[in-house]
Amino acid sequence: MSAESWWKSAVVYQIYPRSFADSNGDGVGDLRGILAKLDYLQHLGVDVLWLSPVYKSPQDDNGYDISDYEDIDPVFGTLADIDELISAVHARGMRLVMDLVVNHSSDEHPWFLESRASRDNPKRDWYWWRPARDGFEPGAPGAEPTNWRAYFSGSAWEFDSTTGEYFLHQFTRRQPDLNWENPDVRRAVYDMMNRWIERGVDGFRMDVINLLSKTEPFTDGHMYFAMANGPRMHEFLQEMNRQVLAGKGLITVGEMPGVTVEQAEHYTDPARHELNMVFTFEHMHLDAVPGEPKWSPRPLPLVELKANLAKWQTGIVNGWNSLYWNNHDQPRSVSRWGNDREYRVQSAKAWATVLHLMRGTPYVYQGEEIGMTNFPFTSFEQFRDVESLNWIAEARAKGVDDPTIMNSLRARSRDNSRTPMQWDDSRHAGFTTGDPWITVNPNHAKVNAAAAVADPESVFHHYRRLIELRHTMPIVVAGDFQLLVAEDPKLFAYLRTSDDERMLVVANMSNVEVRFAVPDDFSGGEVLVGTLSETLAPWQSYALYASAHG
Ligand code: GLC
């Protein structure tokens, strides 16, 4: 593997700064809080830290609404703090990735303030302005230019009375979409990215990046399909690559809702000079009722999940996969797909085993490595996330009853993963000395980093081992993937093979015992992680290694 593709044997750790560690007692996590936890992250063994946005922001969507791309929000610290953090991360041999949110800005960004000021402002064309629908009074009900719904409820168009036109926002009304057709917008973004690279950052996680190129003309229909992977997407990414990324040994991962294997292969094929890898969503939608939004949960069909992952494992050939179960937009996987009651530790380990030994770059979301769970929400007042709050309003307006809404939020709200990192069993889990911006999970007395680090059988030490295997075993990085027992509704098993090595990964993803006969050619193999037995206890998992010639 060339030095240029160092990220193929790396593990990325995502920090949601607001909820990670608070150094100054204001109840919100910050950069100096992260600085104080680098020893912990180094002990875990991760290579790259990805920070969710810390730029200046009105925080309508917790920082995914940026009003100054080149400054730090005071709630997180200062530019001097980020410089210190970058140096400290580098001094430990780790790398730092920033979140790049350029499909949209905040409505408080000076670009947008100018753009909305008048129809002939030089920045008018930096965003998407459209007149009212023909025959409608601007601002009147139904006058929106198209029928598109925003990802976070309501119309994707907001009327602006200053100029009597509408602007497009695929997320909240405070996140207007930037117009990437305009070369000045692209130039401004590339210059900003280059300045962050000069500051020392090692790459970018690119927020909803496949929404940048829009398909025109805008017509009624389903926005999600009209807007993803537009006609100039590859051109924009190749231009960004030439202007910013090429030859710098960075890591890039593009978040891409609605992306298919074929498209992802194009986005990540190194010969095309676009991105290193993408985040797909297909596997995240399998536990929703088909055709329904995420708020209609159903039990995870394991057979479908395995088939989907196998399709990505074998379908990405020249490109590269990212691997994840968790992030700041998803509920906690141990509650979602594991058993966070009697088998919390075992099921967290089982999901980790099957994820980390696939082909691709694994992402660990803060708290996942200690088996943090969903939050036991009991009242609507406990929610902070704009998506959840908008959903409550929309569902109530549609006449959905409160208990049904609460069930969907408990299963799916993004706030499940945004409660504070649980460091120890003290008040507020050691996250803050003040009042946390969102409640700490009451289970922190038991589920916390201090306890996990001290216990060699913990989820934490299982993650350490898996990360170590990626660093030391070429087969984990490079081996081919082959799914086993595809139709088994309880077992998740696969092979990794190369010319001279083989690895077998087996996990019982259920609450009952299951048998799996170890193939003969693995007899006498070396157990890399977990415990080997032919009758697997609930959520038992292991990996077995053998050289190809016995
Ligand atoms: C991405 C982010 C999410 C954010 C949205 C809009 O999906 O991960 O947190 O709300 O984009 O920026």
Side-chain angles (χ1 to χ4, degrees), residues 43-44 356-357 459-473 526-530 543:
H43 185 41
L44 179 60
H356 278 252
L357 300 178
V459 179
F460 179 86
H461 288 286
H462 190 75
Y463 271 82
R464 280 193 76 198
R465 176 67 180 148
L466 291 169
I467 294 166
E468 182 183 30
L469 288 174
R470 178 161 298 269
H471 292 156
T472 54
M473 306 285 297
E526 178 197 347
V527 179
L528 296 175
V529 63

Side-chain angles (χ1 to χ4, degrees), residues 155-418:
S155 171
W157 295 100
E158 182 73 5
F159 181 64
D160 195 38
S161 57
T162 317
T163 55
E165 288 192 326
Y166 293 78
F167 65 85
L168 174 70
H169 62 88
Q170 295 194 70
F171 295 89
T172 78
R173 62 170 57 110
R174 305 212 46 200
Q175 295 169 299
D177 278 51
L178 281 158
N179 177 9
W180 273 70
E181 297 295 321
N182 184 329
D184 295 340
V185 169
R186 305 205 296 275
R187 184 75 261 155
V189 170
Y190 303 151
D191 288 348
M192 172 272 282
M193 293 173 76
N194 277 320
R195 286 190 285 270
W196 277 107
I197 293 169
E198 276 161 32
R199 274 205 119 84
V201 311
D202 302 291
F204 299 97
R205 173 272 185 187
M206 305 183 180
D207 194 67
V208 292
I209 203 71
N210 62 330
L211 306 188
L212 293 188
S213 165
K214 330 281 196 213
T215 305
E216 293 176 87
F218 293 174
T219 52
D220 280 354
H222 203 308
M223 176 186 76
Y224 300 174
F225 302 114
M227 298 308 250
N229 308 302
R232 299 184 68 188
M233 217 34 252
H234 293 291
E235 177 195 337
F236 292 163
L237 288 175
Q238 286 168 10
E239 181 182 73
M240 177 190 285
N241 196 293
R242 284 194 305 275
Q243 304 282 335
V244 182
L245 308 169
K248 298 183 182 147
L250 303 172
I251 175 172
T252 56
V253 51
E255 187 201 27
M256 296 203 173
V259 74
T260 65
V261 178
E262 293 72 26
Q263 290 164 339
E265 174 75 348
H266 277 145
Y267 285 124
T268 65
D269 180 345
R272 296 174 53 91
H273 304 287
E274 298 182 22
L275 299 174
N276 298 152
M277 60 194 117
V278 307
F279 288 136
T280 167
F281 283 82
E282 287 185 350
H283 66 302
M284 289 284 130
H285 292 319
L286 298 174
D287 60 356
V289 177
E292 293 290 315
K294 75 175 197 179
W295 302 110
S296 307
R298 65 165 183 175
L300 175 73
L302 185 72
V303 170
E304 280 180 47
L305 177 78
K306 290 188 294 182
N308 184 268
L309 294 166
K311 180 182 79 175
W312 280 82
Q313 285 289 295
T314 53
I316 301 288
V317 178
N318 297 318
W320 193 247
N321 274 301
S322 68
L323 306 169
Y324 76 96
W325 304 137
N326 292 275
N327 61 43
H328 65 295
D329 294 330
Q330 301 295 337
R332 294 277 181 185
S333 59
V334 67
S335 301
R336 182 180 190 175
W337 296 341
N339 177 336
D340 66 4
R341 297 165 308 279
E342 61 272 48
Y343 297 118
R344 183 185 66 85
V345 169
Q346 295 89 330
S347 63
K349 288 182 183 178
W351 281 106
T353 304
V354 295
L355 187 80
H356 278 252
L357 300 178
M358 284 192 285
R359 183 181 164 94
T361 297
Y363 289 73
V364 181
Y365 176 69
Q366 67 182 44
E368 175 182 346
E369 78 281 12
I370 57 169
M372 275 179 62
T373 66
N374 280 353
F375 185 89
F377 292 104
T378 50
S379 106
F380 290 160
E381 278 72 61
Q382 291 164 321
F383 293 96
R384 298 285 176 276
D385 173 27
V386 64
E387 183 196 38
S388 298
L389 299 175
N390 288 359
W391 164 242
I392 295 169
E394 180 182 309
R396 278 182 156 172
K398 280 191 201 148
V400 183
D401 60 90
D402 282 359
T404 305
I405 301 175
M406 183 52 99
N407 279 340
S408 67
L409 290 164
R410 286 175 66 115
R412 282 307 149 75
S413 172
R414 305 194 296 182
D415 280 337
N416 278 302
S417 58
R418 298 178 178 190

Side-chain angles (χ1 to χ4, degrees), residues 12-32:
V12 182
Y13 187 93
Q14 182 192 354
I15 294 179
Y16 196 65
R18 162 174 289 275
S19 304
F20 191 62
D22 174 22
S23 73
N24 64 356
D26 67 356
V28 179
D30 46 43
L31 295 174
R32 304 208 73 82

